[in-house]
Amino acid sequence: MTPHGFGHGKVILIGEHAVVYGQPALAVGLDVGVRVRLVRGGPRDLRVAEAFDAMARHADINPSDWGFEVSAQIPLGAGLGGSAAFSVATAKALLAIHKAPATEEAILALANVGEEVFHGNPSGIDATVACRGGFLRFVKGRASQQLRAPEPIPLVIADTGERGNTRAQVDAVAQRREEQGEATEALFDILGVLAGVATEAIPEANWKGLGSSMDAAHSVLQRIGVSTERLDTGCKWAREAGALGAKLTGAGGGGCLIALAPDPDPVLGALDELGMASFYLAAGAPSPTLKG
Ligand code: PMV
């Protein structure tokens, strides 16, 4: 059988950037993601060839022996964990060549090699969710905790159309931390507290509580400097259309925003008016309803 693998896309509900510095973060895996199929001597997808080559070499496989096909159900570079989904899918496919057992540990160790090419200094949250799916409370370097929601979380995900660069955003935050250490650490601490509030809100399906923490997290991310005018406008419009909370998701500098919307139609309509492709996802439900 052709070696192949799948990695889930994800959204970070709370805690991006702070998670790189040891704060807890909450993420949810999407049912959609990225598939990779390896074809001996086949064509290569040049957008991700550097990461593929690094991972293949790490797995003692000659990269030039293999071509690979990538089929992405999520936009790459939009804050939905596309690079991690690719890295996890590729790791599974490469392990299949060796017929090695695809344990989570083996997949994540190899996926991390790809993530380092994309990210520079990945916390590991993206790859862990890409591998597992579901809800996750993640702290760098510790065992992740799988969470359960009593009912699906009603999320609208919207793509601003601006393309952020995760590595550049992570580097910019590192720079800010170097220049304004205490102030930046204080902002990370707030994100850690908000992740804690959200961790308690989810098992109780307390969407008001979760929404408020999302709004607060967006303000903190603005202060950290990773939001854009378009992300801010999208969040504002989503709230005005009835969302209980809205924030950017992922590295920022563009990419996607998420809105907590038990009544999604007006929110989807408002974001459509801004020209943002958006879809509703009952996170935790079997399959998303795609729109736009
Ligand atoms: O932009 P994305 O989806 O790759 O998310 C990156 C999340 C960060 O916290 C900004 C970086 C990381 O490695 O955790």
Side-chain angles (χ1 to χ4, degrees), residues 1 8 48 54 62 89 118 204 207 246 260-261 279 287:
M1 196 158 71
H8 296 268
V48 284
N62 182 354
F118 290 118
E204 290 169 9
W207 301 150
L260 189 67
F279 62 93
S287 65

Side-chain angles (χ1 to χ4, degrees), residues 10 12 16-17 19-20 79-81 119 122-123 125-126 166 170 250-251:
K10 66 97 211 353
I12 296 184
E16 46 276 269
H17 288 292
V19 68
V20 175
L80 296 183
H119 277 205
S123 65
I125 187 170
D126 283 11
T166 299
V170 170

Side-chain angles (χ1 to χ4, degrees), residues 102-157:
T103 60
E104 182 174 290
E105 206 186 343
I107 295 167
L108 291 180
L110 189 50
N112 197 48
V113 175
E115 281 290 90
E116 273 171 13
V117 173
F118 290 118
H119 277 205
N121 178 23
S123 65
I125 187 170
D126 283 11
T128 307
V129 189
C131 193
R132 281 200 195 172
F135 293 109
L136 211 71
R137 178 183 183 274
F138 179 91
V139 181
K140 192 176 176 176
R142 297 214 206 133
S144 324
Q145 182 190 343
Q146 211 80 26
L147 298 179
R148 268 177 207 290
E151 51 190 82
I153 300 183
L155 283 183
V156 166
I157 303 177

Side-chain angles (χ1 to χ4, degrees), residues 217-239:
H218 186 74
S219 303
V220 175
L221 291 166
Q222 281 178 317
R223 295 198 35 203
I224 291 176
V226 294
S227 192
T228 63
E229 228 178 283
R230 192 157 163 78
L231 279 164
D232 293 346
T233 307
C235 290
K236 183 164 171 275
W237 283 43
R239 289 178 202 123

Side-chain angles (χ1 to χ4, degrees), residues 156-211:
V156 166
I157 303 177
D159 186 354
T160 59
E162 297 172 327
R163 283 293 162 264
N165 176 314
T166 299
R167 191 176 191 138
Q169 294 300 315
V170 170
D171 286 353
V173 172
Q175 178 79 22
R176 187 191 198 281
R177 182 168 172 265
E178 212 142 276
E179 287 160 9
Q180 305 171 51
E182 252 176 60
T184 310
E185 286 294 343
L187 294 172
F188 292 160
D189 287 346
I190 299 173
L191 287 173
V193 170
L194 292 171
V197 174
T199 304
E200 282 174 22
I202 288 173
E204 290 169 9
N206 172 4
W207 301 150
K208 272 202 164 156
L210 177 61

Side-chain angles (χ1 to χ4, degrees), residues 1-86:
M1 196 158 71
T2 319
H4 65 277
F6 172 77
H8 296 268
K10 66 97 211 353
V11 292
I12 296 184
L13 291 174
I14 306 262
E16 46 276 269
H17 288 292
V19 68
V20 175
Y21 300 95
Q23 294 290 345
L26 277 187
V28 54
L30 309 181
D31 293 333
V32 287
V34 175
R35 278 182 201 287
V36 172
R37 216 166 70 91
L38 305 188
V39 185
R40 203 174 255 285
R44 296 155 57 76
D45 188 324
L46 292 179
R47 292 173 304 171
V48 284
E50 191 189 342
F52 178 85
D53 291 357
M55 290 173 69
R57 278 194 292 270
H58 195 84
D60 285 329
I61 289 165
N62 182 354
S64 49
D65 286 350
W66 291 90
F68 56 99
E69 288 165 8
V70 181
S71 60
Q73 300 162 296
I74 49 171
L76 298 178
L80 296 183
S83 64
F86 165 80

